[in-house]
Amino acid sequence: MLRLLAIPALRPGPSGDPHAPDAANTDESQANPYPMLPDPLTLKDGRNVTTDELWWNVRRPEIVEDFNHEIYGCLPENLPSVNWEVTSATRETNGDGLVSTKHLVGHVDNAVYPHIQVDIQLTLTTPASASGPVPVMLSFGFGRSFGGAPAGDASSRPPDAGPTWQQQVLAKGWGYAVLIPTSYQADTGAGLLQGIIGPVNQGQPRKVDDWGALRAWAWGASRALDYFETDPGVDANHVGIEGLSRYGKAALVTMAYDPRFAIGFIGSSGRVAPSCTAAILAK
């Protein structure tokens, strides 16, 4: 990728010596060489966005096109289909309530490149007492927490820590789901020849404006929503998405490209300009 971009070497990081030529900058006025971002409500031809139609049909596609080529990458045209399989279904207690949990695997069609197999890992938990479809919060997760316990397990929490976020969701009568983005795309440069990005490129390196991990993770979240639309226990019109840090970025990117998601809960998503514009695109 560095060769494709004609970058011979990466510049060194800032020096901790305040007197060095490359000292770390603390002057806000010098931090951003491009302080004036384009007005999101002004079309490229200079017209103002004054109607919903101008936003959805003209301005939003303009911003999406810029984001595709300059920030998050373009989706390939030959994206494979995903076949969802419920591998197990259990009933268990979470907090004060009984819940039903489905463990799902999304098998990605790898007919175009059989050398790489991709499976999306997803769990869906809903209140066992629900009499109909419920709203669901989808979280980008790690599969197992850093301490080794299953996601959502409260056994290692201090007794006065209060309910987990999953228990708070359940208390409202909602469900929650956990999607493991690294199950279908690793968060490393080396992983770009594997995961979902690898098969569509038939194991070859991507082009400079092809999609990367964040866009791939968002694609997987949209495929999870495809499944939710088929599950009678899920109110697919009220599915939110949640993420923290890099997964917060992924949640924003997901909402920006897929308006079917009803709401997002974004934590510590980092860089301001792309994140804010993604939020503008989302709604």
Side-chain angles (χ1 to χ4, degrees):
M1 187 58 66
L2 291 175
R3 288 195 300 271
L4 290 174
L5 295 172
I7 299 175
L10 297 177
R11 67 180 183 181
S15 170
D17 179 0
H19 303 292
D22 59 343
N25 172 55
T26 58
D27 184 348
E28 184 69 24
S29 66
Q30 298 180 29
N32 182 7
Y34 305 104
M36 299 304 294
L37 296 174
D39 183 351
L41 296 180
T42 299
L43 304 180
K44 289 190 174 182
D45 63 11
R47 289 181 293 157
N48 293 327
V49 176
T50 55
T51 65
D52 290 350
E53 289 74 20
L54 274 177
W55 168 254
W56 287 106
N57 299 329
V58 184
R59 183 54 179 154
R60 189 178 189 278
E62 288 180 347
I63 300 175
V64 166
E65 189 68 12
D66 288 342
F67 263 48
N68 286 345
H69 290 284
E70 305 296 339
I71 301 179
Y72 294 119
C74 302
L75 290 184
E77 295 181 356
N78 59 332
L79 277 168
S81 60
V82 177
N83 178 39
W84 286 100
E85 175 191 3
V86 179
T87 59
S88 67
T90 60
R91 284 206 169 195
E92 55 201 4
T93 300
N94 191 340
D96 298 328
L98 188 66
V99 298
S100 300
T101 297
K102 294 179 181 178
H103 295 263
L104 300 113
V105 174
H107 302 290
V108 179
D109 183 359
N110 65 343
V112 297
Y113 196 69
H115 304 286
I116 299 176
Q117 180 176 335
V118 182
D119 289 321
I120 304 172
Q121 297 177 18
L122 174 69
T123 60
L124 170 64
T125 300
T126 55
S129 60
S131 59
V134 299
V136 167
M137 281 298 297
L138 173 64
S139 173
F140 285 110
F142 295 95
R144 299 183 73 84
S145 69
F146 293 118
D153 178 62
S155 60
S156 61
R157 290 164 57 86
D160 58 348
T164 66
W165 73 264
Q166 293 94 339
Q167 292 165 359
Q168 294 178 60
V169 165
L170 292 169
K172 293 181 176 294
W174 303 353
Y176 65 87
V178 179
L179 176 68
I180 314 302
T182 52
S183 66
Y184 56 92
Q185 188 58 55
D187 191 18
T188 66
L192 293 174
L193 299 180
Q194 300 290 324
I196 182 59
I197 293 177
V200 296
N201 286 345
Q202 299 193 10
Q204 298 301 309
R206 60 178 184 159
K207 303 185 203 58
V208 292
D209 61 350
D210 281 351
W211 60 338
L214 286 174
R215 191 78 194 276
W217 291 350
W219 169 85
S222 291
R223 304 293 72 77
L225 185 51
D226 291 345
Y227 168 77
F228 294 153
E229 290 179 335
T230 70
D231 192 306
V234 176
D235 178 358
N237 291 321
H238 294 92
V239 173
I241 189 162
E242 180 271 338
L244 175 68
S245 189
R246 187 146 166 80
Y247 287 173
K249 295 183 181 71
L252 273 173
V253 174
T254 300
M255 289 196 69
Y257 284 102
D258 192 339
R260 293 180 298 166
F261 284 92
I263 196 169
F265 184 69
I266 315 301
S268 301
S269 61
R271 296 182 60 187
V272 174
S275 295
C276 287
T277 308
I280 291 169
L281 282 177
K283 293 295 176 186

